[in-house]
Amino acid sequence: MTSHDEYVSVRYLVDDVQAAADFYTTHLGFTLNSSAAPAFADVTRGRLRLLLSGPASSGARATPKEAAVPGGNRIHLTYDDLDAEIDRLSDAGLTFRSEVVAGPGGRQILLADPAGNLIELFQPARRP
């Protein structure tokens, strides 16, 4: 298990814990920390600990029905070469939820996990 202050933890409610864990570890560079599938698993990437809570988990059972919908929040993953990452994920058969959007801070595109939770893939703008 992990030290409580070693990671920033975010909980995602998912309908299939194994599919979610496979998605994050196969496609987005996360490492499986622990699994009690089908109820729960957690995956880590850097200092981010993503808590994947299935319908039988205490995290999901404690969530009011009106709040138990995917997509309201999203994690933000930073890449040096967004286009290469888009190509890699597209080649893996994944589809995106948005087009690339550019702004003064950089460029981003949205991807969804198997439960519909959003992931923002982001490339910061280059500064002179």
Side-chain angles (χ1 to χ4, degrees):
M1 210 47 168
T2 61
S3 168
H4 293 291
D5 59 353
E6 184 179 353
Y7 292 96
V8 173
S9 296
V10 175
R11 182 180 311 281
Y12 269 175
L13 302 179
V14 300
D15 52 359
D16 185 329
V17 170
Q18 190 62 57
D22 290 346
F23 174 85
Y24 285 99
T25 58
T26 300
H27 300 297
L28 297 176
F30 283 77
T31 301
L32 182 66
N33 187 53
S34 69
S35 178
F40 174 83
D42 66 322
V43 294
T44 59
R45 179 179 169 185
R47 292 183 36 90
L48 172 61
R49 180 175 173 231
L50 192 53
L51 311 171
L52 305 170
S53 297
S57 70
S58 59
R61 292 191 325 264
T63 304
K65 284 199 182 289
E66 64 274 7
V69 296
N73 295 305
R74 60 184 180 241
I75 60 172
H76 174 99
L77 304 177
T78 303
Y79 295 91
D80 292 328
D81 186 345
L82 183 61
D83 295 321
E85 192 62 19
I86 292 169
D87 289 344
R88 185 184 72 80
L89 294 170
S90 294
D91 289 348
L94 303 181
T95 56
F96 294 89
R97 288 295 191 79
S98 73
E99 298 296 322
V100 174
V101 176
R107 300 168 57 233
Q108 65 179 281
I109 191 167
L110 298 179
L111 179 69
D113 73 8
N117 293 300
L118 294 176
I119 302 109
E120 178 181 324
L121 309 180
F122 181 78
Q123 180 180 341
R126 294 208 178 4
R127 302 287 182 215

